[in-house]
Amino acid sequence: MAKHFLVVAEQSEGVLRKVSFEMLGEARRLAGSEGKVEAALLGSGVEPLAEQLAWHGADKVYVADDAALQLYSAEAYTTVLADLVKKIQPDVVFIGATTNGKDLAPRLATRLGVGLASDCTGFSVDGDGKLLITRPIYAGRAIETIKLKSTPQMATLRPNVFPPLEPDTSRKAEVEKIAVNVGPIRAKVVGFLKKEGEEIELTEADIIVSGGRGLGGPEGFEVLRELAKVLKAAVGASRAAVDAGWIDHSHQVGQTGKTVNPKLYIACGISGAAQHLAGMRTSKVIVAINKDPEAPIFKVADYGIVGDLYKIVPLLTKELQEVLRG
Ligand SMILES: Cc1cc2nc3c(=O)[nH]c(=O)nc-3n(C[C@H](O)[C@H](O)[C@H](O)COP(=O)(O)OP(=O)(O)OC[C@H]3O[C@@H](n4cnc5c(N)ncnc54)[C@H](O)[C@@H]3O)c2cc1C
């Protein structure tokens, strides 16, 4: 029975990522009032974050607080979580389908000898109490529903899909510190180099302004950044723009880039190739700006503007600046 959930919270530099709250919200919804929603929190100096997990639905938080866990390490995190799962035996384990989560989840599933459903976008409880899991396949062209027979059922959840609960600061959770014994680590992360002035993380953004080959050059992204600034949006790109060297690969949306699910996706000078759509077609509202009325992007767009993006985007920026200021 899917009554006992373990949500692996994700934090970066002492800040919990939004997907942690989204997973708790979904676990809470599925577990109902009788079920148990627990969270695992790994890191160094992270114990104060446990209360936020309680506010968002956790009944209990297992805290693994150790210098060895300060930076994400696949080996160390897998060892700690495998020990925890064996000890508490949850029915379901949720991990974010983030860069770290996509690295961690398969390793943990293998260590536990269980199946894993990745990048999931929906759950329901079947008659036997097991979860029915919905996930896009074939680059988003089809949706499958599966049931994992092994226990715990493990899944990674696509960020920005599941609504978090409204935080209730009166909610408390039991906090249990767990012993950390990671053993010898063969591959050690010694540090992260952060990009200067990096904008909002693409996979967590509510709004994305994205550019493709139609920009004609790297200067086009400056025009998009103006619009992004007004909308507090992240900047995305097609592979053509990335391959041309106009913008870093970390901005690429699509099959070989990031999967995003914002409330609003504005595609500028992007034709809408299947591999690009694979990463953004589940966006809630899609706006396409393209000078070719036959561009395939218009087939998935909720709103289409046919025209030169260099005329339209500055106009949009100006109008929105005024509307949003007022
Ligand atoms: C295995 C594989 C993986 C791939 N992975 C990805 C991926 O992750 N992400 C991805 O994006 N692609 C991916 N691709 C590439 C994909 O097939 C397309 O080649 C790519 O998405 C095209 O990018 P684009 O739409 O920017 O360029 P184009 O297809 O060249 O489209 C440019 C568009 O801009 C329009 N345009 C031109 N000038 C203007 C203007 N002034 N104003 C308005 N519109 C204008 C044109 O009408 C055209 O529609 C992958 C391909 C393969 C084979």
Side-chain angles (χ1 to χ4, degrees), residues 17-262:
R17 296 193 62 173
K18 210 166 88 182
V19 70
S20 308
F21 306 133
E22 294 167 3
M23 290 189 286
L24 285 171
E26 184 61 7
R28 193 75 269 166
R29 185 184 74 78
L30 292 162
S33 53
E34 285 156 30
K36 235 183 344 182
V37 175
E38 303 185 324
L41 177 59
L42 283 68
S44 177
V46 290
E47 196 176 342
L49 301 180
E51 68 173 5
Q52 290 181 45
L53 298 173
W55 300 346
H56 286 87
D59 300 315
K60 179 168 181 172
V61 183
Y62 296 95
V63 180
D65 207 324
D66 194 280
L69 303 173
Q70 181 170 14
L71 292 176
Y72 167 73
S73 146
E75 283 179 84
Y77 275 48
T78 302
T79 302
V80 171
L81 287 167
D83 288 347
L84 179 64
V85 170
K86 281 182 203 150
K87 186 175 134 204
I88 67 169
Q89 306 211 340
D91 304 313
V92 178
V93 177
F94 279 171
I95 296 179
T98 59
T99 306
N100 287 357
K102 285 177 187 172
D103 184 51
L104 173 67
R107 191 179 270 258
L108 180 60
T110 307
R111 184 78 63 87
L112 296 167
V114 299
L116 170 71
S118 58
D119 207 18
C120 304
T121 54
F123 298 92
S124 60
V125 183
D126 203 9
D128 61 359
K130 284 257 183 193
L131 288 188
L132 287 173
I133 303 172
T134 304
R135 54 189 296 274
I137 51 168
Y138 303 128
R141 267 174 273 193
I143 304 285
E144 69 172 4
T145 301
I146 56 166
K147 182 152 80 175
L148 296 172
K149 290 185 182 159
S150 46
T151 306
Q153 288 185 294
M154 261 187 79
T156 62
L157 278 66
R158 184 178 284 192
N160 258 0
V161 171
F162 301 94
L165 299 177
E166 274 301 311
D168 173 358
T169 52
S170 66
R171 248 185 140 271
K172 301 265 177 283
E174 185 189 337
V175 175
E176 182 179 323
K177 277 201 149 198
I178 52 175
V180 175
N181 184 10
V182 294
I185 302 291
R186 286 165 298 177
K188 210 167 171 191
V189 179
V190 290
F192 281 106
L193 294 179
K194 249 187 144 179
K195 276 218 205 84
E196 286 292 314
E198 199 43 66
E199 310 100 340
I200 305 159
E201 160 61 29
L202 211 52
T203 56
E204 291 187 354
D206 280 338
I207 306 178
I208 295 175
V209 180
S210 214
R213 203 190 323 254
L215 294 179
E219 62 284 354
F221 279 102
E222 291 314 313
V223 177
L224 299 197
R225 281 200 175 93
E226 291 294 314
L227 176 59
K229 210 189 309 168
V230 171
L231 291 172
K232 296 191 175 59
V235 174
S238 73
R239 178 159 158 182
V242 172
D243 284 353
W246 301 343
I247 192 163
D248 187 76
H249 177 261
S250 58
H251 294 265
Q252 186 178 317
V253 172
Q255 196 175 318
T256 43
K258 290 180 176 161
T259 304
V260 299
N261 192 31

Side-chain angles (χ1 to χ4, degrees), residues 15 194 285 297 299 323:
V15 178
K194 249 187 144 179
V285 174
I297 189 80
K299 293 206 179 94
V323 171

